[in-house]
Amino acid sequence: MTTTPPPGTRIVVRDAEWVVCRVDLLPDGGAQLTCTGVSELVREREAIFLTRLEDEIQVLDPATTALVTDTSPRFRRSLLYMESLLRRAVPNDACIRVARGAAMDEVPYQLDPARQALRQPRQRILIADDVGLGKTIEAGILVSELVARGRGRRILVVAVKSMLTQFQKEFWNRFAIPLTRLDSVGIQRVRRRIPSNHNPFHYHDRSIISIDTLKQDREYRTYLENAWWDIIVIDEAHNVAERATRSQRSRLAKRLCKRSDTLIMLSATPHDGKARSFASLMNMLDPTAIGDPDEFTEDDFRDKGLVIRRFKKDVREQVTQSFRDREIIRTRFPLSEPEEAANEAMLAVPVAGTSGKASRQLFSVTLEKALFSSPAACLETVRERKRKLGRKLDQGPRTERTAAIQRELEGLETLAVALEVIGPAHFAKYRALLRAIRGGEPFRWNARRTRDRLVIFSERLATLRWLREHLSTDLRLKPKQVALLHGGLADKDQQEMVEAFGNETTPLRLLLASDVASEGINLHHQCHRLIHFDIPWSLMVFAQRNGRVDRYGQRRDPQIVYLLAESAHSTVRGDARVLEVLIEKDQQAHKNIGDPSVFMNQHDVQAEEEVTRNAIAAGESARDFDAGLAPETNKGDELMALFLETPHAGADPSARTENARAQGVADLDGGQGGRRERSRDDAIPRSLYADDLAYCEAALEHLRDSNANLNYDVDWSSRTLTLDAPPDLRDRFRSVPPEIKPSDWRFVLTADREAMEEAIAESRRREADWPRVHHLWCLNPVLQWLNDRMLAAFGRHEAPVLAGVPGLGSDEAVVIVSGQVANRKGHPLVSVWLAISSRGTEPADLELFGDFAERVGLGRTSLPNPGAEVAMDGLLAVLPKAVELARLWVKDEVRAREARMEAQRDREIEALAQLHERRRATIAARRGDGGQLQIAGIVNWRADSELREVEEAFDDYARWVEDTMTVAGDPHISVVAVLTGRGRPNA
C-alpha cells in the first residue's frame, strides 16, 4: 500500500475485511486506521491498525466487488448501509455541515467564526467577541465541523480553573463532544491507572485541563512535547500573551500551539494595547504571520483570517429575544462620622521618602482605594505596610530616612485606630448594602426564593471575608447559603461552587466573588442581580463583572447595583466622583460603542487602573477625567482598527448568506441528519433519511429483526429514543467522563432542540446537575455506534443490488460509487458520490449521486422491494467500466483542483520566504555589536535562540503547506451499490 486509504475504503488486514472509519496521521509518518469488521469472524468489531506495523494492508479492487441482491423490505438493509457510508463521507468545503443540528439557538453571528476558519488553509483563529456573546458556543460550532471532517479525534481544551466544568458541560450538552476533566483530582486518577513512564495525555483523547495545573509540574513539558492533538482550544487566551516578560503561561502556550494543526483561542480582551503582546498571540496562531512583533502592518494579516471580533451592538438585531435590557441602580449614602475621621487620618499619613502630590502616587492612593473597599481591607493594607517599614528600621542606623519612616508609622497607627472603631453599625456602605438587599431599595431579595440568587463583587479578599461574616448573621443565612469565590481556592472547589450557584436544588443563595469570577463563568442561570461592593478602577473589569449576568441566554432583566459614598471631605468626594465617571463610560460603551477599552486606550486591566490611579493622585476633577476619556481622543488605536476586524458584524443574515454563496461556501440546511443542498466544491449528497431519529429507528429495527438483543423505544410525539445499552455500546463509554454515563445504562436521547434546552434547564433544578437526556445528533457516540453497526450490513467485499427500483428505465442499471483523493496529511481534497447509468454493458451517463437520488426519489419516497432477481453476469460486466469512468472523472476534478492548489501553494511559499527574510533581519538588528561584553553576549544568545525558533517554525509551516496542498496517490474508488429498473433482464 503506497497511500493511506481514506475513510469508507474497504481493506483486508490479517485475512479479514474491514471498513476504514477514520484515519489519523502519526508523527512517524505512518497512519492509525480505526476500522469496523465486515467479514464473518470480525463482524461489528472495532480495531485499530498502524500502517507502519502491518505487513500488508490490501485495498480491495472495487472492480471485483461481489454483488448481493437485497431482499429486505423496502430495501431497508441497503439504504441503511448506504446511509452509514454517507455519514462517513468527509466534507472538504467551508460549509456549515453539521452545526445547525446542535442543541443551541441558531444565531447567525455565532456561525461566522466557523465559516471564517473553514475558509483558511488550516483552522487557527482568535474568537475575540465581547463578553456574553457565546464564545464557547462558537468554539463548539467550529470543533463539531472539524470532527465531522475527521479532524477532531484528539481534542485538548485549556481553560481557567473555574471554567472547567462549565466548558465541559457546554460541549457535551450542546454538541455531544465528551471532554474528560483533568483537574487536580482527575490527573491523579489517570496517573494511578497508567505506568509511571507513560504519557497521561495519551490516556484520554478528549480532555479539558487548567493551564495553571499544566504549568505547576515540570513533567508536563515533556508530556506536552510528545503528544499531538487534532484540535487545541485555549480559553481566556489573553492570559497566555507575552507581556513585559515571558510568563510560565506564555511559554506553555507556545509549546502547545506547535502540537496541533487546529488552534482556537477565545478572549473578550484580546490584547493589552501593546504590539508585541498582541503579536505573541498571532504568532501562536500562525508563527509566520508577523515579521517584526514590534512593528507590523496590515500586510502581515491580509487574507489570513486569524481574528474575528463583534460586540453586542453589532449583533443585537439578530438576538432581540436573547439580550435583556440592563437596569442600572445607583445607591447613594453619606459616610458616618467614624468613616470621615478615618478619611482624615488616611489623607494625613505622611508617606516616607516622598513629598507633595507625588506621595499619593506611591502609597496614599493605595490606602484610599483599600478604604473605598472596606475598613477591613484598609486595615490589612496598613498592617502590611507597617510590617515592611518595620523591617526597614531593623536593617540600618537611625537617619533622616529613619525619621520619615517613624512619622509614617505614627500616621499609620492613627489610621489603624480610626479603622478599628468602624463596626457594622458605622460602616455606611454596608448599611446601604443591607438596604439594597432586603429593604426594597432597589429590590427585596429573599433567600428562600431558589431562582433569586445574588452575586456581590469586591476585588479585596479581606472585604469579602468581612462580608461573609456579617451578612451571614444579618441576613440569617445558613453556612451553605453563602460562599466565597476567589483565586486561592483549588480548581475543584471553584468548579463546585460555580456549579452549585447555577443549580436550583442547592442551598447556595449568595456568592461573594473576587474578580477571579469575572472571567468566563456563567452566573446567569439562577441569578440576574449583581452588586458592585467596590467600584472597579478599570472599565475592562466593569465589562467582565457585568457580563456574568448580562449575557446571551439571560431570561430576566439584569439589575446592576453600584454603591456610591457621599463624603463631606472635598478630596475624598472628588475622588469618588472620578469613579462615577467610569460607571457612565461603561454604560456608554454598553449602549453605543461596544468596546469599553476605547476610552482609556490601554486594553489591560492593570494599565487602566494605573490611569485611574494617576488621575486621582494628580487631583483631577471628575470633569477633567471625563474629558480625557472621550472616545474621539483615541482614534489612534490602530491595533484594534487593523486586526480586530468584524467582517460580518451587524450584517443582514440574508446578505451574509448570499455573500457566502457567491464564494462557493453556501450554507446547508440541516446537517448530516437532515436534508441539505450541495455546495459548489463538494458532491456529498444529503441524508437518505428525514432526520437522525428516523435513521436510528430504521437501524434499530433492522438490528432487532437480525436477532440482535436490543431493548429500545422510539416516541415520535416527543421525538425521543430510549435505548438500553448493549455491551459493545457500553465499551464505547469506557473513556468518557463518568458524569455522562447513565447509572442504569439506559440512554434517553432527544432530537427535539427545545426538549434538550429544557433538559439542560431541568438539570439545574435537580441534585444531579448533568442532564438525564442526551442530544441525538450525528456526533453523539450512540449514533456513531449505530452507524458502525450499519457499515457491516454486507459481507466481505460485497455491495448490495436494489433490483426493480421505480423511476429507472426498464433496462437501466445504475452503479453508485464514492471517490476520494487525499493530501499527504490524509485529508480529502476531493470527495464525491457518483451515479453511473448503463443500458446493456456500456456506461451511458454519469451524474452526481445527489441529483440521481432526487430524480428517483431515493430516500425521499418509500421504495417497494419486488424481490426480483437480476442477471449478475451483466452487472459484473458493467462494474469495471463504471469504476474506470468514475476514476477518470475524479482525476479530472483533481487536476482542476491541483492547478488552483499549485497557484495557492506558490503564493504561500513566496509570502513565507519574504516574511522569513524580514524576520531574520529584525532579529539580526537586535544583536549586540558593542558596549559591555556581558550584555552583548546575553543579547546575542537571546537573538540566536529566537532565530532557531523562527527557523523551526518556518520549516514546519513550509512542510505543512506542502503536505496540505499536495495530492497523495490515485483516487480511491468504492462501489456503494447497484440499482436496476424493473425491466432489467432476470437471471
Side-chain angles (χ1 to χ4, degrees):
M1 186 187 67
T2 58
T3 60
T4 302
T9 306
R10 292 203 172 202
I11 60 175
V12 174
V13 185
R14 305 182 189 181
D15 198 35
E17 185 184 354
W18 307 81
V19 173
V20 179
C21 297
R22 65 171 296 115
V23 177
D24 298 288
L25 298 187
L26 301 176
D28 64 2
Q32 174 180 294
L33 308 181
T34 303
C35 303
T36 297
V38 176
S39 52
E40 191 63 35
L41 291 177
V42 297
R43 187 181 298 275
E44 299 173 359
R45 293 186 182 179
E46 185 177 284
I48 294 176
F49 300 108
L50 304 180
T51 58
R52 285 294 183 94
L53 300 182
E54 296 299 327
D55 293 332
E56 183 180 10
I57 297 178
Q58 177 189 356
V59 177
L60 296 176
D61 181 2
T64 63
T65 302
L67 301 180
V68 178
T69 302
D70 181 8
T71 59
S72 64
R74 303 185 183 280
F75 301 112
R76 182 181 66 191
R77 184 180 170 203
S78 293
L79 292 176
L80 288 169
Y81 172 68
M82 294 168 68
E83 177 72 12
S84 67
L85 290 174
L86 273 177
R87 288 169 177 259
R88 285 290 178 191
V90 180
N92 64 328
D93 54 24
C95 298
I96 301 299
R97 285 282 177 177
V98 299
R100 284 200 168 96
M104 62 180 191
D105 296 330
E106 185 178 324
V107 185
Y109 79 84
Q110 291 185 334
L111 302 177
D112 290 338
R115 288 195 191 97
Q116 180 169 313
L118 290 172
R119 286 197 292 268
Q120 308 309 320
R122 61 176 175 175
Q123 288 65 55
R124 297 173 81 88
I125 188 170
L126 168 62
I127 302 176
D129 284 346
D130 193 14
V131 175
L133 289 190
K135 291 183 289 296
T136 306
I137 296 294
E138 292 170 349
I141 291 170
L142 177 53
V143 169
S144 64
E145 291 294 330
L146 292 170
V147 170
R149 287 159 170 77
R151 304 181 195 177
R153 183 179 71 88
R154 283 182 49 78
I155 301 171
L156 177 69
V157 175
V158 181
V160 295
K161 292 188 291 185
S162 58
M163 280 285 292
L164 296 182
T165 302
Q166 177 179 305
F167 210 109
Q168 184 188 22
K169 283 185 173 182
E170 288 288 276
F171 261 47
W172 172 253
N173 292 340
R174 303 192 182 281
F175 303 99
I177 298 174
L179 299 172
T180 300
R181 190 170 63 248
L182 295 180
D183 52 19
S184 53
V185 175
I187 203 147
Q188 289 304 320
R189 186 185 300 120
V190 171
R191 283 180 153 172
R192 287 195 298 268
R193 293 175 179 174
I194 62 175
S196 58
N197 62 337
H198 282 211
N199 192 332
F201 294 115
H202 289 157
Y203 190 80
H204 294 290
D205 280 340
R206 296 173 174 178
S207 307
I208 181 168
I209 192 168
S210 162
I211 195 164
D212 290 318
T213 300
L214 284 178
K215 76 177 186 181
Q216 287 170 1
D217 196 330
R218 292 183 178 179
E219 286 183 87
Y220 288 135
R221 174 174 181 174
T222 302
Y223 294 145
L224 289 172
E225 291 173 351
N226 288 280
W228 181 266
W229 290 270
D230 298 306
I231 301 170
I232 292 177
V233 181
I234 300 179
D235 193 26
E236 304 297 341
H238 53 274
N239 291 322
V240 303
E242 287 186 17
R243 306 298 183 185
T245 58
R246 293 175 61 181
S247 66
Q248 283 183 295
R249 288 178 171 183
S250 176
R251 290 195 296 269
L252 180 62
K254 288 192 69 174
R255 295 189 193 106
L256 279 174
C257 71
K258 300 175 183 177
R259 308 310 302 161
S260 174
D261 273 348
T262 297
L263 178 62
I264 304 170
M265 290 182 163
L266 311 176
S267 175
T269 53
H271 75 96
D272 61 359
K274 298 177 178 62
R276 176 169 285 271
S277 172
F278 188 65
S280 71
L281 291 181
M282 294 300 98
N283 279 332
M284 289 179 198
L285 291 168
D286 183 349
T288 69
I290 295 175
D292 184 352
D294 293 312
E295 186 176 347
F296 45 95
T297 67
E298 186 178 2
D299 290 338
D300 292 307
F301 281 79
R302 184 168 294 160
D303 300 327
K304 287 185 176 291
L306 294 178
V307 187
I308 188 168
R309 181 165 173 82
R310 285 79 53 86
F311 296 95
K312 288 179 181 176
K313 69 178 182 63
D314 301 319
V315 301
R316 191 175 297 276
E317 76 283 356
Q318 299 181 27
V319 286
T320 53
Q321 301 303 314
S322 298
F323 289 135
R324 310 291 297 189
D325 290 333
R326 179 189 294 184
E327 181 185 358
I328 298 298
I329 302 109
R330 296 174 176 84
T331 299
R332 300 181 182 277
F333 55 90
L335 294 180
S336 64
E337 290 186 9
E339 287 176 303
E340 295 287 17
N343 281 329
E344 290 284 354
M346 178 267 298
L347 293 171
V349 172
V351 178
T354 59
S355 61
K357 290 185 178 180
S359 63
R360 301 199 69 203
Q361 295 176 345
L362 294 176
F363 185 62
S364 181
V365 175
T366 300
L367 273 178
E368 185 177 35
K369 186 180 183 185
L371 187 52
F372 278 162
S373 179
S374 71
C378 192
L379 192 58
E380 180 183 68
T381 301
V382 167
R383 289 168 177 167
E384 179 60 28
R385 177 73 171 178
K386 288 171 67 176
R387 280 193 293 270
K388 289 181 179 180
L389 293 176
R391 286 195 297 268
K392 289 182 179 180
L393 286 178
D394 294 339
Q395 291 171 359
R398 302 181 66 85
T399 62
E400 184 178 345
R401 176 169 174 77
T402 300
I405 292 175
Q406 288 285 8
R407 288 194 296 272
E408 181 178 345
L409 284 172
E410 292 172 1
L412 290 172
E413 184 59 34
T414 301
L415 174 58
V417 172
L419 292 170
E420 287 170 347
V421 301
I422 304 174
H426 298 102
F427 188 8
K429 184 163 64 169
Y430 179 66
R431 308 314 300 179
L433 174 68
L434 288 177
R435 289 193 299 272
I437 292 175
R438 68 185 182 185
E441 300 176 17
F443 49 74
R444 185 179 296 278
W445 182 70
N446 188 338
R448 290 190 294 273
R449 292 197 292 262
T450 59
R451 296 196 69 245
D452 191 10
R453 305 197 175 187
L454 179 64
V455 58
I456 300 175
F457 272 102
S458 171
E459 72 169 27
R460 297 299 297 260
L461 189 55
T463 300
L464 293 172
R465 287 171 174 158
W466 190 94
L467 288 174
R468 179 175 59 180
E469 176 186 353
H470 293 281
L471 286 175
S472 296
T473 301
D474 293 336
L475 297 178
R476 299 180 181 179
L477 297 174
K478 297 177 182 178
K480 291 185 177 181
Q481 289 184 300
V482 59
L484 198 162
L485 178 61
H486 59 88
L489 296 173
D491 48 11
K492 184 173 181 290
D493 294 334
Q494 288 188 32
Q495 296 163 56
E496 289 178 351
M497 197 174 296
V498 172
E499 289 301 303
F501 192 68
N503 190 310
E504 190 173 324
T505 63
T506 63
L508 182 57
R509 297 292 184 270
L510 175 61
L511 186 66
L512 303 171
S514 72
D515 286 323
V516 71
S518 68
E519 281 195 332
I521 62 175
N522 294 331
L523 300 179
H524 67 288
H525 298 307
Q526 313 294 341
C527 174
H528 68 290
R529 290 170 171 167
L530 182 152
I531 298 177
H532 294 269
F533 196 74
D534 305 341
I535 306 301
W537 288 31
S538 161
L539 285 169
M540 293 175 69
V541 174
F542 274 90
Q544 288 283 0
R545 285 185 183 181
N546 293 338
R548 296 315 100 215
V549 298
D550 183 10
R551 59 192 300 107
Y552 180 80
Q554 174 62 267
R555 302 303 180 190
R556 295 171 288 178
D557 291 344
Q559 292 181 311
I560 312 296
V561 178
Y562 297 99
L563 304 174
L564 304 174
E566 298 280 0
S567 174
H569 196 290
S570 60
T571 299
V572 176
R573 185 170 61 253
D575 295 344
R577 292 284 187 269
V578 167
L579 299 185
E580 286 192 58
V581 170
L582 295 179
I583 298 175
E584 295 295 336
K585 295 304 180 186
D586 176 69
Q587 274 301 96
Q588 186 178 344
H590 173 71
K591 289 182 178 180
N592 304 316
I593 298 174
D595 184 4
S597 62
V598 300
F599 289 106
M600 290 184 171
N601 198 17
Q602 299 296 320
H603 311 286
D604 178 75
V605 170
Q606 286 74 29
E608 287 192 341
E609 289 181 348
E610 189 66 23
V611 170
T612 305
R613 183 179 293 108
N614 290 341
I616 291 176
E620 284 189 21
S621 67
R623 178 179 298 178
D624 292 339
F625 185 60
D626 188 8
L629 299 183
E632 56 266 23
T633 65
N634 294 292
K635 292 180 180 178
D637 188 6
E638 298 175 358
L639 199 59
M640 295 290 288
L642 281 177
F643 308 120
L644 299 186
E645 301 180 50
T646 59
H648 301 299
D652 178 71
S654 60
R656 181 185 302 109
T657 300
E658 288 305 314
N659 182 54
R661 292 184 189 279
Q663 299 178 53
V665 289
D667 289 334
L668 305 178
D669 296 328
Q672 283 190 311
R675 303 190 180 282
R676 62 190 187 184
E677 299 175 9
R678 205 172 53 251
S679 78
R680 181 184 303 175
D681 293 333
D682 186 81
I684 299 172
R686 57 169 173 74
S687 170
L688 297 176
Y689 289 83
D691 56 26
D692 288 321
L693 187 59
Y695 171 59
C696 288
E697 182 179 45
L700 290 168
E701 183 179 345
H702 171 71
L703 289 176
R704 187 167 58 186
D705 291 348
S706 303
N707 299 318
N709 185 19
L710 287 177
N711 182 29
Y712 72 91
D713 178 67
V714 176
D715 184 344
W716 278 98
S717 63
S718 62
R719 295 182 54 76
T720 299
L721 166 66
T722 304
L723 172 67
D724 289 336
D728 57 335
L729 177 55
R730 297 185 188 191
D731 288 342
R732 299 253 178 152
F733 280 78
R734 282 180 301 179
S735 60
V736 304
E739 300 92 343
I740 291 174
K741 292 179 272 191
S743 58
D744 57 358
W745 285 108
R746 169 162 286 193
F747 286 95
V748 181
L749 303 104
T750 181
D752 187 297
R753 185 177 298 173
E754 291 183 1
M756 190 64 218
E757 288 285 356
E758 176 56 32
I760 294 172
E762 174 63 24
S763 70
R764 302 188 190 108
R765 298 191 289 267
R766 296 184 292 105
E767 259 186 69
D769 55 2
W770 284 73
R772 178 74 173 86
V773 177
H774 296 172
H775 183 44
L776 178 65
W777 80 316
C778 60
L779 300 188
N780 192 293
V782 174
L783 199 143
Q784 292 179 335
W785 159 80
L786 195 56
N787 196 54
D788 289 346
R789 295 289 296 265
M790 295 303 101
L791 279 173
F794 290 88
R796 182 168 183 168
H797 203 26
E798 291 179 350
V801 175
L802 291 72
V805 175
L808 297 184
S810 61
D811 61 345
E812 186 178 8
V814 180
V815 181
I816 309 300
V817 299
S818 67
Q820 286 194 22
V821 176
N823 59 21
R824 290 177 180 174
K825 295 182 74 65
H827 301 154
L829 298 174
V830 173
S831 183
V832 63
W833 277 44
L834 301 171
I836 302 164
S837 301
S838 67
R839 298 181 187 274
T841 60
E842 293 297 326
D845 191 23
L846 181 150
E847 61 185 322
L848 295 176
F849 175 71
D851 297 335
F852 166 76
E854 288 291 334
R855 178 164 63 85
V856 301
L858 191 64
R860 184 163 45 85
T861 60
S862 179
L863 299 178
N865 187 348
E869 295 185 5
V870 297
M872 290 299 180
D873 290 344
L875 295 181
L876 291 173
V878 171
L879 212 55
K881 300 173 183 178
V883 168
E884 184 59 24
L885 183 61
R887 183 176 283 111
L888 292 174
W889 191 95
V890 174
K891 282 186 175 180
D892 286 343
E893 287 292 302
V894 170
R895 277 193 289 270
R897 180 159 299 206
E898 274 188 304
R900 296 196 299 269
M901 285 195 307
E902 186 175 353
Q904 184 181 2
R905 184 171 63 238
D906 291 345
R907 288 194 300 270
E908 288 277 351
I909 294 299
E910 182 181 357
L912 199 62
Q914 293 175 357
L915 191 59
H916 191 186
E917 188 58 36
R918 285 175 53 197
R919 192 77 172 270
R920 290 170 60 89
T922 300
I923 296 172
R926 291 202 299 268
R927 292 180 62 85
D929 296 325
Q932 298 183 32
L933 291 178
Q934 184 178 7
I935 296 176
I938 294 173
V939 170
N940 290 341
W941 176 82
R942 289 177 176 172
D944 290 341
S945 177
E946 186 176 354
L947 186 60
R948 284 192 297 271
E949 288 184 11
V950 167
E951 295 291 346
E952 179 184 349
F954 275 78
D955 288 346
D956 287 346
Y957 190 69
R959 280 193 299 271
W960 184 89
V961 169
E962 288 288 342
D963 290 345
T964 303
M965 299 184 181
T966 301
V967 173
D970 293 327
H972 288 278
I973 305 296
S974 299
V975 176
V976 175
V978 178
L979 288 72
T980 71
R982 292 189 176 183
R984 188 78 181 185
N986 291 343

